Amino acid sequence: MATTVEYIRYRIALDDRQAFEDAYREAAKSLAAAPECIDYELARCDEEPERYILRIRWTSVEAHLQGFRRGEHFPGFFSAIRPYVTAIEEMQHYGVTDVVGTGGAPAQA
């Protein structure tokens, strides 16, 4: 099983940002409990604050699609983010290449 990264790009109206982030705080409980999920983060674009990217690392594409989506944690996750499904611009899985490393900045706590 190869680790995979799912990226979901959203465009959220500025007046919906707080509700969107709150919805993902709720949905994150399901991700944190799911054995198929390695980690996740939601980032907001600095230049265009209506744009968000959710990054989720899964143990595999199959674990995400067959395990998480068919498992006990998906209903709570989907219920929390359901109002924002139509705001998705991209939702894809990516395999990480061997081009990885750290930069020169000191580690932040």
Side-chain angles (χ1 to χ4, degrees), residues 18-91:
Q18 188 61 54
F20 175 74
E21 290 180 24
D22 289 345
Y24 261 103
R25 281 185 193 87
E26 184 62 29
K29 295 174 186 174
S30 296
L31 292 175
E36 303 86 0
C37 178
I38 298 168
D39 60 16
Y40 56 89
E41 71 180 359
L42 179 65
R44 182 177 54 244
C45 181
D46 290 333
E47 293 82 9
E48 297 180 61
E50 72 277 5
R51 292 182 175 269
Y52 285 83
I53 293 180
L54 176 67
R55 180 194 58 79
I56 306 173
R57 277 196 317 148
W58 299 103
T59 54
S60 70
V61 173
E62 294 77 20
H64 172 217
L65 299 178
Q66 305 301 318
F68 179 72
R69 285 204 182 164
R70 294 182 178 181
E72 66 180 298
H73 301 292
F74 184 73
F77 173 83
F78 191 72
S79 176
I81 60 100
R82 181 187 309 267
Y84 304 101
V85 170
T86 59
I88 293 173
E89 294 182 325
E90 176 189 12
M91 181 169 50

